[in-house]
Short mmCIF file of all heavy atoms in Angstrom, two decimals:
data_model
loop_
_atom_site.label_atom_id
_atom_site.label_comp_id
_atom_site.label_asym_id
_atom_site.label_seq_id
_atom_site.Cartn_x
_atom_site.Cartn_y
_atom_site.Cartn_z
N ASP B 1184 135.10 121.03 102.45
CA ASP B 1184 136.29 120.62 103.30
C ASP B 1184 137.35 120.15 102.34
O ASP B 1184 137.05 119.24 101.52
CB ASP B 1184 135.76 119.53 104.26
CG ASP B 1184 137.08 118.93 104.89
OD1 ASP B 1184 137.97 119.51 105.13
OD2 ASP B 1184 136.94 117.56 105.24
N LEU B 1186 139.95 118.35 102.47
CA LEU B 1186 140.29 116.91 102.62
C LEU B 1186 139.32 116.04 101.92
O LEU B 1186 139.66 115.15 101.13
CB LEU B 1186 140.36 116.53 104.18
CG LEU B 1186 140.87 115.06 104.42
CD1 LEU B 1186 142.28 114.89 104.31
CD2 LEU B 1186 140.24 114.55 105.76
N ARG B 1187 138.05 116.38 102.20
CA ARG B 1187 137.02 115.58 101.48
C ARG B 1187 136.87 115.86 100.02
O ARG B 1187 136.59 114.94 99.20
CB ARG B 1187 135.54 115.85 102.14
CG ARG B 1187 135.45 115.32 103.57
CD ARG B 1187 134.18 115.63 104.30
NE ARG B 1187 133.97 114.64 105.33
CZ ARG B 1187 134.58 114.67 106.57
NH1 ARG B 1187 135.51 115.51 106.80
NH2 ARG B 1187 134.42 113.69 107.51
N ILE B 1190 139.47 113.71 98.48
CA ILE B 1190 138.94 112.26 98.34
C ILE B 1190 138.00 112.08 97.14
O ILE B 1190 138.08 111.22 96.32
CB ILE B 1190 138.29 111.78 99.63
CG1 ILE B 1190 139.27 111.82 100.85
CG2 ILE B 1190 137.48 110.44 99.54
CD1 ILE B 1190 138.67 111.73 102.22
N ILE B 1217 130.76 113.90 100.58
CA ILE B 1217 131.85 113.49 99.57
C ILE B 1217 131.25 112.86 98.25
O ILE B 1217 131.59 113.29 97.21
CB ILE B 1217 132.71 112.30 100.28
CG1 ILE B 1217 133.57 112.88 101.40
CG2 ILE B 1217 133.59 111.60 99.21
CD1 ILE B 1217 134.32 112.00 102.09
N ALA B 1307 131.20 104.19 104.95
CA ALA B 1307 131.32 103.10 105.91
C ALA B 1307 131.85 103.73 107.17
O ALA B 1307 132.65 104.65 107.17
CB ALA B 1307 132.11 101.96 105.39
N THR B 1308 131.47 103.11 108.37
CA THR B 1308 132.16 103.50 109.57
C THR B 1308 133.49 102.95 109.56
O THR B 1308 134.44 103.53 110.17
CB THR B 1308 131.37 103.17 110.86
OG1 THR B 1308 131.15 101.83 110.79
CG2 THR B 1308 130.01 103.88 110.91
N GLU B 1309 133.69 101.85 109.02
CA GLU B 1309 135.09 101.20 108.85
C GLU B 1309 135.06 100.10 107.78
O GLU B 1309 134.06 99.60 107.50
CB GLU B 1309 135.58 100.66 110.20
CG GLU B 1309 134.52 99.68 110.84
CD GLU B 1309 134.96 99.08 112.15
OE1 GLU B 1309 136.01 99.33 112.67
OE2 GLU B 1309 134.19 98.15 112.59
N VAL B 1310 136.26 99.89 107.26
CA VAL B 1310 136.42 98.85 106.43
C VAL B 1310 137.75 98.04 106.85
O VAL B 1310 138.48 98.51 107.67
CB VAL B 1310 136.63 99.25 104.83
CG1 VAL B 1310 135.41 99.90 104.30
CG2 VAL B 1310 137.97 99.99 104.81
N ALA B 1322 132.61 103.15 116.29
CA ALA B 1322 133.89 102.59 116.93
C ALA B 1322 133.73 102.08 118.34
O ALA B 1322 134.52 101.17 118.78
CB ALA B 1322 134.91 103.76 117.00
N ALA B 1346 134.28 105.69 99.84
CA ALA B 1346 135.16 106.95 99.85
C ALA B 1346 134.91 107.64 101.12
O ALA B 1346 133.83 108.03 101.54
CB ALA B 1346 134.60 107.88 98.69
N GLN B 1347 135.98 107.79 101.90
CA GLN B 1347 135.99 108.41 103.19
C GLN B 1347 137.38 108.70 103.76
O GLN B 1347 138.40 108.12 103.27
CB GLN B 1347 135.33 107.55 104.16
CG GLN B 1347 136.04 106.26 104.34
CD GLN B 1347 135.39 105.18 105.14
OE1 GLN B 1347 134.17 105.28 105.35
NE2 GLN B 1347 135.99 104.19 105.53
N PRO B 1348 137.49 109.67 104.64
CA PRO B 1348 138.86 109.95 105.20
C PRO B 1348 139.41 108.72 106.03
O PRO B 1348 138.56 107.85 106.58
CB PRO B 1348 138.49 111.01 106.24
CG PRO B 1348 137.31 111.59 105.83
CD PRO B 1348 136.44 110.56 105.24
N LEU B 1349 140.63 108.65 106.04
CA LEU B 1349 141.16 107.39 106.70
C LEU B 1349 140.99 107.36 108.15
O LEU B 1349 140.91 106.27 108.80
CB LEU B 1349 142.66 107.29 106.37
CG LEU B 1349 143.45 106.08 106.87
CD1 LEU B 1349 142.87 104.72 106.33
CD2 LEU B 1349 144.96 106.14 106.67
N THR B 1350 140.91 108.51 108.74
CA THR B 1350 140.64 108.65 110.16
C THR B 1350 139.58 109.62 110.43
O THR B 1350 139.34 110.58 109.73
CB THR B 1350 141.95 108.99 110.99
OG1 THR B 1350 142.25 110.41 110.60
CG2 THR B 1350 142.96 108.08 110.71
N ARG B 1351 138.79 109.42 111.61
CA ARG B 1351 137.92 110.38 112.01
C ARG B 1351 138.24 110.75 113.52
O ARG B 1351 138.13 109.79 114.31
CB ARG B 1351 136.47 109.94 111.96
CG ARG B 1351 136.02 109.80 110.42
CD ARG B 1351 134.57 109.32 110.40
NE ARG B 1351 134.46 107.95 110.97
CZ ARG B 1351 133.37 107.43 111.40
NH1 ARG B 1351 132.21 108.11 111.21
NH2 ARG B 1351 133.32 106.20 111.90
N GLY B 1352 138.80 111.87 113.75
CA GLY B 1352 139.39 112.03 115.03
C GLY B 1352 140.49 111.11 115.10
O GLY B 1352 141.42 111.10 114.31
N ARG B 1353 140.59 110.32 116.28
CA ARG B 1353 141.67 109.42 116.45
C ARG B 1353 141.19 107.94 116.14
O ARG B 1353 141.80 107.00 116.50
CB ARG B 1353 142.19 109.51 117.88
CG ARG B 1353 142.73 110.81 118.27
CD ARG B 1353 144.15 111.02 117.76
NE ARG B 1353 145.04 109.97 118.28
CZ ARG B 1353 146.36 109.86 117.92
NH1 ARG B 1353 146.79 110.59 117.08
NH2 ARG B 1353 147.07 108.90 118.45
N ILE B 1354 140.16 107.95 115.36
CA ILE B 1354 139.41 106.62 114.99
C ILE B 1354 139.86 106.23 113.61
O ILE B 1354 139.46 106.96 112.70
CB ILE B 1354 137.96 106.70 115.27
CG1 ILE B 1354 137.53 107.05 116.65
CG2 ILE B 1354 137.37 105.29 114.80
CD1 ILE B 1354 136.22 107.45 116.88
N PRO B 1355 140.47 105.02 113.38
CA PRO B 1355 140.74 104.59 112.05
C PRO B 1355 139.54 104.11 111.32
O PRO B 1355 138.74 103.53 111.90
CB PRO B 1355 141.84 103.54 112.34
CG PRO B 1355 141.38 102.88 113.63
CD PRO B 1355 140.83 104.03 114.37
N CYS B 1356 139.48 104.44 110.08
CA CYS B 1356 138.40 103.79 109.25
C CYS B 1356 138.88 102.70 108.48
O CYS B 1356 137.99 102.12 107.78
CB CYS B 1356 137.97 104.96 108.34
SG CYS B 1356 137.00 106.27 109.25
N VAL B 1357 140.11 102.22 108.56
CA VAL B 1357 140.56 101.04 108.01
C VAL B 1357 141.17 100.26 109.06
O VAL B 1357 142.18 100.64 109.78
CB VAL B 1357 141.62 101.23 106.82
CG1 VAL B 1357 142.19 100.02 106.32
CG2 VAL B 1357 140.98 102.05 105.64
N VAL B 1358 140.71 98.95 109.28
CA VAL B 1358 141.17 98.24 110.41
C VAL B 1358 141.48 96.76 109.95
O VAL B 1358 141.18 96.38 108.70
CB VAL B 1358 140.07 98.14 111.49
CG1 VAL B 1358 139.87 99.63 112.02
CG2 VAL B 1358 138.75 97.56 110.97
N ILE B 1374 138.57 101.34 97.89
CA ILE B 1374 138.51 102.24 98.98
C ILE B 1374 139.18 103.47 98.69
O ILE B 1374 140.44 103.40 98.05
CB ILE B 1374 139.15 101.69 100.28
CG1 ILE B 1374 138.71 100.23 100.51
CG2 ILE B 1374 138.89 102.57 101.50
CD1 ILE B 1374 137.38 99.97 100.78
N VAL B 1375 138.63 104.74 98.79
CA VAL B 1375 139.35 105.86 98.35
C VAL B 1375 139.40 106.76 99.65
O VAL B 1375 138.33 107.04 100.31
CB VAL B 1375 138.57 106.58 97.25
CG1 VAL B 1375 139.25 108.00 96.93
CG2 VAL B 1375 138.40 105.84 95.98
N THR B 1376 140.58 107.07 99.99
CA THR B 1376 140.92 108.00 101.14
C THR B 1376 141.74 109.13 100.59
O THR B 1376 142.12 109.24 99.42
CB THR B 1376 141.64 107.14 102.22
OG1 THR B 1376 142.89 106.89 101.73
CG2 THR B 1376 140.88 105.96 102.63
N GLU B 1377 142.12 110.01 101.60
CA GLU B 1377 142.90 111.14 101.19
C GLU B 1377 144.29 110.67 100.79
O GLU B 1377 145.20 111.54 100.24
CB GLU B 1377 142.96 112.14 102.45
CG GLU B 1377 143.67 111.75 103.55
CD GLU B 1377 142.70 110.98 104.56
OE1 GLU B 1377 141.68 110.35 104.14
OE2 GLU B 1377 142.99 110.97 105.81
N PHE B 1378 144.67 109.42 100.96
CA PHE B 1378 145.97 108.85 100.56
C PHE B 1378 145.93 108.20 99.31
O PHE B 1378 146.92 107.69 98.76
CB PHE B 1378 146.49 107.98 101.77
CG PHE B 1378 146.79 108.69 102.98
CD1 PHE B 1378 145.87 108.64 104.04
CD2 PHE B 1378 147.85 109.49 103.06
CE1 PHE B 1378 146.07 109.39 105.19
CE2 PHE B 1378 148.17 110.10 104.35
CZ PHE B 1378 147.24 110.11 105.39
N LEU B 1410 147.88 100.99 103.58
CA LEU B 1410 146.81 101.80 104.04
C LEU B 1410 146.47 101.55 105.49
O LEU B 1410 146.46 102.36 106.31
CB LEU B 1410 145.58 101.74 103.13
CG LEU B 1410 144.47 102.72 103.35
CD1 LEU B 1410 144.87 104.16 102.88
CD2 LEU B 1410 143.17 102.36 102.72
N ALA B 1411 146.35 100.21 105.74
CA ALA B 1411 145.98 99.70 107.10
C ALA B 1411 147.23 100.11 108.03
O ALA B 1411 146.96 100.55 109.19
CB ALA B 1411 145.79 98.27 107.15
N ALA B 1412 148.26 100.11 107.66
CA ALA B 1412 149.54 100.36 108.45
C ALA B 1412 149.49 101.87 108.85
O ALA B 1412 149.79 102.29 109.88
CB ALA B 1412 150.80 99.97 107.74
N LYS B 1413 149.18 102.69 107.82
CA LYS B 1413 149.14 104.10 107.86
C LYS B 1413 148.06 104.42 108.96
O LYS B 1413 148.30 105.23 109.86
CB LYS B 1413 148.76 104.71 106.63
CG LYS B 1413 149.20 106.13 106.47
CD LYS B 1413 148.95 106.70 105.14
CE LYS B 1413 150.04 106.47 104.02
NZ LYS B 1413 151.35 107.33 104.13
N ALA B 1414 146.90 103.83 108.87
CA ALA B 1414 145.88 104.03 109.82
C ALA B 1414 146.34 103.76 111.24
O ALA B 1414 146.13 104.41 112.19
CB ALA B 1414 144.65 103.26 109.32
N LYS B 1415 146.96 102.52 111.29
CA LYS B 1415 147.45 102.15 112.62
C LYS B 1415 148.46 103.09 113.22
O LYS B 1415 148.44 103.38 114.37
CB LYS B 1415 148.06 100.66 112.48
CG LYS B 1415 147.63 99.79 113.54
CD LYS B 1415 148.04 98.27 113.22
CE LYS B 1415 147.04 97.61 112.33
NZ LYS B 1415 147.45 96.21 111.95
N SER B 1416 149.36 103.55 112.43
CA SER B 1416 150.37 104.37 112.84
C SER B 1416 149.77 105.82 113.17
O SER B 1416 150.32 106.47 114.15
CB SER B 1416 151.53 104.65 111.83
OG SER B 1416 151.08 105.49 110.70
N MET B 1417 148.76 106.18 112.61
CA MET B 1417 148.13 107.51 112.93
C MET B 1417 147.24 107.40 114.22
O MET B 1417 147.24 108.34 115.01
CB MET B 1417 147.17 107.92 111.78
CG MET B 1417 147.98 108.31 110.47
SD MET B 1417 146.95 108.62 109.10
CE MET B 1417 146.05 110.13 109.38
N CYS B 1418 146.69 106.20 114.44
CA CYS B 1418 145.67 106.20 115.46
C CYS B 1418 146.25 105.35 116.69
O CYS B 1418 145.58 105.39 117.75
CB CYS B 1418 144.36 105.61 114.95
SG CYS B 1418 143.56 106.55 113.71
N GLY B 1419 147.24 104.63 116.51
CA GLY B 1419 147.64 103.71 117.63
C GLY B 1419 146.79 102.59 117.69
O GLY B 1419 145.80 102.37 117.03
N MET B 1421 143.84 100.48 119.12
CA MET B 1421 142.49 100.83 119.66
C MET B 1421 142.17 99.79 120.79
O MET B 1421 142.57 98.70 120.72
CB MET B 1421 141.31 100.66 118.59
CG MET B 1421 141.53 101.66 117.42
SD MET B 1421 141.31 103.34 117.92
CE MET B 1421 139.54 103.29 118.24
#
Side-chain angles (χ1 to χ4, degrees):
Chain B
D1184 169 34
L1186 181 82
R1187 289 181 158 73
I1190 295 168
I1217 293 177
T1308 53
E1309 52 177 6
V1310 295
Q1347 65 189 13
L1349 185 60
T1350 62
R1351 290 179 301 164
R1353 298 279 301 173
I1354 299 166
C1356 291
V1357 175
V1358 296
I1374 314 295
V1375 179
T1376 65
E1377 65 273 33
F1378 297 98
L1410 190 68
K1413 204 176 276 281
K1415 224 170 277 180
S1416 74
M1417 289 167 73
C1418 301
M1421 296 294 290

